[in-house]
Amino acid sequence: MSNHLKFDIYNLDLTNIQNDSHLRFFLLGMSSRAVILVEDIDCSFKLKNWDLPEDQTQTQGDHSGKVTLSGLLNFVDGFYSCCGEGRIMIFTTNYKERLDPALLRPGRMDMHICLSYCNASVFDQLAFNYLGLHHHHLFDEIKQLIEVIEVTPAELGGS
């Protein structure tokens, strides 16, 4: 995607960001045409403040030296995020339900794409993309196995 658009790509590891100010500094320092990838956002830090009562949320800046939910939300769609020609942010997670609903709302995360396990049609596409094959005598057997076991496209492609 970044090659096609001629955008720079940044892999942002939130565990290496010291606080909200550092996150903002990172955003301002990147190029204006960028793809920002945040992998496993559910594991990066606590996006819900489970220690506070339910009526208190982490909406005010945290001065304890940690990135806060508020800081991340401002990074995604705050004042500083609009600087530049265009930025695409990609977040990955294995547990969408662990993310705060404020992070998932439209305008922050406009597209939610589930990359699930393979089925027969995904297998057909992978076989064509990787091997240039439309048919093979083992395809029917493989497709029957795919219906029984859960295998990801990455696992299948690496086999």
Side-chain angles (χ1 to χ4, degrees), residues 3 17 32 42-43 55 58 61 88-91 118 152 159:
N3 285 340
I17 303 295
S32 61
D42 56 297
C43 300
D55 61 331
Q58 208 174 1
I88 299 169
M89 295 186 190
I90 300 172
F91 297 93
C118 280
T152 65
S159 302

Side-chain angles (χ1 to χ4, degrees), residues 27 72-83:
L27 179 67
L72 182 63
L73 297 177
N74 287 327
F75 176 79
V76 171
D77 69 355
F79 174 74
Y80 294 105
S81 68
C82 65
C83 302

Side-chain angles (χ1 to χ4, degrees), residues 6-80:
K6 296 181 177 38
F7 275 31
D8 294 327
I9 188 163
Y10 296 86
N11 186 1
L12 176 59
D13 182 354
L14 290 173
T15 61
N16 289 330
I17 303 295
Q18 299 167 2
N19 55 39
D20 293 346
S21 295
H22 191 224
L23 185 62
R24 186 171 43 253
F25 179 77
F26 174 80
L27 179 67
L28 292 173
M30 72 176 53
S31 66
S32 61
R33 295 172 48 91
V35 173
I36 304 163
L37 173 63
V38 180
E39 294 183 276
D40 296 322
I41 192 168
D42 56 297
C43 300
S44 297
F45 62 96
K46 194 184 328 183
L47 289 177
K48 288 186 178 179
N49 192 345
W50 299 107
D51 300 326
L52 292 176
E54 287 185 25
D55 61 331
Q56 293 181 352
T57 60
Q58 208 174 1
T59 57
Q60 299 170 354
D62 182 359
H63 302 291
S64 65
K66 302 284 184 194
V67 174
T68 64
L69 176 58
S70 176
L72 182 63
L73 297 177
N74 287 327
F75 176 79
V76 171
D77 69 355
F79 174 74
Y80 294 105

Side-chain angles (χ1 to χ4, degrees), residues 82-153:
C82 65
C83 302
E85 294 180 43
R87 293 195 174 109
I88 299 169
M89 295 186 190
I90 300 172
F91 297 93
T92 68
T93 182
N94 290 317
Y95 304 100
K96 183 179 168 183
E97 66 277 2
R98 291 184 185 174
L99 300 179
D100 192 289
L103 187 59
L104 296 172
R105 76 164 175 76
R108 290 194 174 121
M109 290 193 186
D110 294 320
M111 294 184 71
H112 298 237
I113 301 170
C114 179
L115 301 177
S116 188
Y117 296 105
C118 280
N119 59 30
S121 65
V122 171
F123 171 76
D124 286 336
Q125 188 64 52
L126 289 172
F128 180 74
N129 289 350
Y130 284 102
L131 306 172
L133 297 176
H134 287 289
H135 302 288
H136 189 276
H137 70 280
L138 294 175
F139 279 12
D140 288 337
E141 183 180 346
I142 293 169
K143 290 178 186 180
Q144 287 175 359
L145 287 171
I146 287 174
E147 297 301 324
V148 176
I149 62 170
E150 291 181 335
V151 60
T152 65

